Amino acid sequence: VARFTADSVVLVTGASGFLGRHLLERLLAEPCRIHAVNRRGAGPAGRRVFWHAAELRDAAAAAKLVAEIRPSHLLHAAWIATPGRFWSAPENLDWLEAALALARAFGEAGGRSFLGLGSCAEYDWRAPSFIEDDTPIRPATLYGKAKAALWAAVEAYAARYDFCAAWGRIFLPYGPGDSPRRLIPMVIEQLRRREPVLLTAATQERDFIFAPDAADLLVRLLAAHIPGAFNIATGRGTSVRCAVEYLADRMEGRSRLEFGAKTTLVEEPERLVGDTAKVKQLLGWTAPTTLEAGLDQMLAPAGVD
Amino acid sequence: VARFTADSVVLVTGASGFLGRHLLERLLAEPCRIHAVNRRGAGPAGRRVFWHAAELRDAAAAAKLVAEIRPSHLLHAAWIATPGRFWSAPENLDWLEAALALARAFGEAGGRSFLGLGSCAEYDWRAPSFIEDDTPIRPATLYGKAKAALWAAVEAYAARYDFCAAWGRIFLPYGPGDSPRRLIPMVIEQLRRREPVLLTAATQERDFIFAPDAADLLVRLLAAHIPGAFNIATGRGTSVRCAVEYLADRMEGRSRLEFGAKTTLVEEPERLVGDTAKVKQLLGWTAPTTLEAGLDQMLAPAGVD
């Protein structure tokens, strides 16, 4: 398994997003040079991070940036992520096209290792399990279709330019810095305000992964230089109900939970839990943080914003 | 099953290519308006065909063309097809990017039915059979990877713009107008010149489909407005050796065949025969022309150029 050296030049896109911030934090533990891009050209985790301003959906701007930085490693996390909207937003196609231009520029600049952020939404959600190289890719949503198309395209660019292409299919990340409009921060905030918490039946079982753990696995995969698709998951399923009840119990708000008061935006499957055998076998990795420990960190004052 | 009407506006790309010419010929039997594009802006099957000149790898030019024609149906056949070279030519990525721009322009212009030309090279060649919605997509070549990526992307564009997207995975087309550098025309030419015919062991079993039959199926699929991937195949396997021996026997040249004298460019599978149950079930279609009848047509003087 390969590692980063002082000569490694890592470029992170979407670096001020939810996962992007955790990726930068985790990269600071590595000896590589770290470049980060967002529209402003500034962001957190200062010190060792070189920030760049670029609109990546402008193919020429993306290519120029990559040609300047000449990254050996590209961690491509930029995508539309507006809670609720992202499932069917037309911008999914802008980001698909932007990523193709980026993959080409990376290949032309002599890049060696590409890691893109995919999603469990690429899988056929009717499958009984989600195994990287076995479960059919049959995305139900525009978001899933665009992500699946990008991975297929990245495999083509990798063959053309002879770089290593890996793909992380993220399950349900949560943790510090998550959007206040996503489930767990929203529930915490409503419990804090002692408001009623309106929920779906919440019986669906999900693979919640603590964002710093997801970032740890992604950074290890990028360094390892192993091609292929990988679930970014814990392998453990928990019902949304169970996760929410844990929070409510910690905040003495169980009576404010109103299960069944809401309907879901997207027809989602009952069980969405990633198989983790591949990552365990290749990297010896298992998610270190239990759901309870992760939720506790979100309840700690410093972890909320 | 839908049909073309006098209001249907069909745009054919790659219209002066091998399959493109057969597609135009077959479309002349339909009541639709026919637009065709190549770099010259002129080609065969005149009369009812409106020719346009455009370099489709220029995304802006492609978008302009589509905006002008406003096709209801797009039959996208343009791709790099240089015999031998196409498997790993970098141009595969240019055509992938070009097709994305075209799919977007088609969606924006209100297009309703898109049919792209895919390939049996998208499948995992180690699979025992090739069934559209069952066999894993695991292309071994850059050509196959780019085609598979395009189909995944087209499914995303179709979801975004609400058009019907279909995909024809072509097996081994042969027939009048085929490149003289491809197997069957080359063997016929060498036999005609009474030269030795150098071949591989030629034991590999292939699904040879007569190009006019392939065009017939593709045009029916485009009209039918049924989304999904479809094998363009006969379902019948014949060894290359058997096909070549048939030609040699018809031309009294069996003694000039030298099996085992050549090696293959690409690691190809022993058996590559398309499952045809889906097309048979949905359209009641089976390939009308036997291999013998198709080869006989290629041996007839008019069929050679």
Side-chain angles (χ1 to χ4, degrees):
Chain A
V1 173
R3 286 162 181 258
F4 288 118
T5 69
D7 293 331
S8 306
V9 179
V10 182
L11 172 60
V12 183
T13 71
S16 50
F18 169 42
L19 281 174
R21 286 164 185 245
H22 290 286
L23 290 168
L24 285 188
E25 273 301 330
R26 175 59 185 79
L27 278 168
L28 289 172
E30 300 291 333
C32 55
R33 289 172 76 90
I34 307 168
H35 293 265
V37 54
N38 65 4
R39 255 155 289 181
R40 283 194 305 129
R47 309 183 310 280
R48 270 184 53 207
V49 177
F50 300 92
W51 280 93
H52 303 264
E55 169 52 79
L56 293 179
R57 282 173 294 180
D58 172 348
K64 185 163 168 284
L65 179 77
V66 170
E68 275 168 22
I69 298 172
R70 300 188 69 79
S72 57
H73 297 70
L74 177 55
L75 219 171
H76 182 44
W79 202 270
I80 174 172
T82 319
R85 261 202 83 231
F86 74 94
W87 289 116
S88 51
E91 292 93 319
N92 279 293
L93 297 182
D94 301 335
W95 285 106
L96 168 59
E97 292 169 14
L100 261 59
L102 205 59
R104 184 186 272 272
F106 180 68
E108 284 178 353
R112 291 185 291 113
S113 242
F114 178 106
L115 175 58
L117 261 56
S119 167
C120 59
E122 295 167 56
Y123 289 118
D124 185 341
W125 277 346
R126 296 159 303 180
S129 59
F130 303 97
I131 305 172
E132 292 91 337
D133 303 314
D134 287 354
T135 303
I137 298 304
R138 207 164 283 144
T141 60
L142 178 56
Y143 173 73
K145 285 177 207 282
K147 288 283 193 181
L150 174 54
W151 171 230
V154 166
E155 289 202 280
Y157 285 86
R160 156 72 178 89
Y161 290 106
D162 198 27
F163 59 74
C164 173
W167 190 247
R169 296 203 181 109
I170 320 272
F171 279 68
L172 209 65
Y174 71 97
D178 200 356
S179 162
R181 291 168 60 199
R182 294 220 318 158
L183 177 76
I184 288 175
M186 195 156 62
V187 167
I188 292 174
E189 183 57 23
Q190 290 171 330
L191 287 168
R192 207 159 255 160
R193 293 184 186 165
R194 305 187 173 275
E195 291 172 359
V197 183
L198 308 185
L199 296 148
T200 65
T203 53
Q204 69 274 27
E205 204 181 331
R206 291 292 176 269
D207 191 326
F208 293 96
I209 182 162
F210 194 48
D213 291 357
D216 179 55
L217 176 52
L218 288 164
V219 167
R220 283 171 194 266
L221 279 171
L222 180 65
H225 202 78
I226 307 172
F230 300 89
N231 287 339
I232 308 301
T234 69
R236 296 184 294 270
T238 308
S239 71
V240 170
R241 180 175 199 118
C242 184
V244 167
E245 286 180 344
Y246 179 83
L247 290 169
D249 287 349
R250 292 288 316 269
M251 300 176 78
E252 290 166 9
R254 177 83 81 122
S255 66
R256 282 189 290 277
L257 303 182
E258 298 188 14
F259 290 106
K262 277 171 81 170
T263 51
T264 46
L265 280 174
V266 169
E267 193 78 30
E268 286 186 53
E270 263 312 288
R271 187 171 185 280
L272 207 42
V273 179
D275 186 277
T276 54
K278 189 176 177 183
V279 147
K280 193 170 188 174
Q281 199 214 318
L282 288 173
L283 296 181
W285 193 90
T286 49
T289 311
T290 63
L291 180 57
E292 292 77 7
L295 292 177
D296 286 350
Q297 286 201 42
M298 293 195 69
L299 292 174
V304 175
D305 310 314
Chain B
V1 171
R3 286 162 180 256
F4 289 118
T5 67
D7 293 331
S8 306
V9 179
V10 182
L11 172 59
V12 182
T13 71
S16 49
F18 169 43
L19 281 175
R21 287 164 184 244
H22 290 285
L23 291 167
L24 285 188
E25 274 299 329
R26 175 60 184 75
L27 278 167
L28 290 172
E30 300 291 333
C32 55
R33 288 172 77 91
I34 308 168
H35 293 265
V37 54
N38 64 5
R39 255 157 287 180
R40 283 193 305 129
R47 308 181 310 279
R48 271 183 54 209
V49 177
F50 300 92
W51 279 94
H52 304 264
E55 169 53 78
L56 294 179
R57 283 173 293 180
D58 172 350
K64 185 163 168 282
L65 179 77
V66 169
E68 277 168 18
I69 299 173
R70 300 188 68 79
S72 58
H73 295 70
L74 177 55
L75 218 171
H76 182 44
W79 202 269
I80 174 173
T82 320
R85 262 200 83 231
F86 74 94
W87 289 115
S88 52
E91 291 93 318
N92 279 293
L93 297 181
D94 301 334
W95 284 106
L96 168 59
E97 291 169 14
L100 261 59
L102 206 60
R104 184 186 272 271
F106 181 68
E108 285 178 352
R112 292 185 290 114
S113 241
F114 178 106
L115 173 58
L117 260 55
S119 167
C120 59
E122 295 167 55
Y123 289 118
D124 186 340
W125 277 346
R126 295 160 303 181
S129 59
F130 303 96
I131 304 173
E132 291 91 338
D133 303 314
D134 288 354
T135 303
I137 298 303
R138 206 163 283 145
T141 60
L142 178 55
Y143 173 74
K145 285 177 207 285
K147 288 283 192 180
L150 174 55
W151 171 230
V154 166
E155 288 200 282
Y157 285 85
R160 157 71 177 91
Y161 290 106
D162 198 26
F163 59 74
C164 173
W167 190 248
R169 296 201 181 111
I170 319 273
F171 278 68
L172 208 66
Y174 72 96
D178 199 355
S179 162
R181 291 169 57 198
R182 294 221 316 157
L183 178 77
I184 288 175
M186 195 157 61
V187 167
I188 292 174
E189 184 57 24
Q190 290 171 329
L191 286 169
R192 209 160 252 158
R193 293 185 185 165
R194 305 189 170 273
E195 289 172 0
V197 182
L198 309 186
L199 297 148
T200 66
T203 54
Q204 70 274 27
E205 204 181 333
R206 291 292 175 268
D207 191 327
F208 293 96
I209 182 164
F210 193 47
D213 291 357
D216 179 56
L217 176 52
L218 288 162
V219 168
R220 282 170 195 267
L221 280 170
L222 180 65
H225 202 78
I226 308 171
F230 300 90
N231 287 338
I232 308 299
T234 69
R236 294 184 296 267
T238 307
S239 71
V240 170
R241 179 175 200 117
C242 183
V244 167
E245 286 180 342
Y246 179 83
L247 290 170
D249 286 348
R250 291 291 315 272
M251 299 175 78
E252 291 167 8
R254 176 82 82 122
S255 65
R256 283 188 289 277
L257 303 182
E258 298 188 13
F259 292 107
K262 277 171 81 170
T263 52
T264 47
L265 280 174
V266 169
E267 192 79 28
E268 287 186 52
E270 263 310 289
R271 187 171 185 281
L272 206 44
V273 178
D275 186 277
T276 54
K278 188 174 177 185
V279 147
K280 193 169 188 176
Q281 200 214 318
L282 288 172
L283 297 181
W285 193 90
T286 50
T289 312
T290 63
L291 181 57
E292 291 77 8
L295 292 177
D296 286 348
Q297 287 200 42
M298 293 195 70
L299 291 175
V304 176
D305 314 310

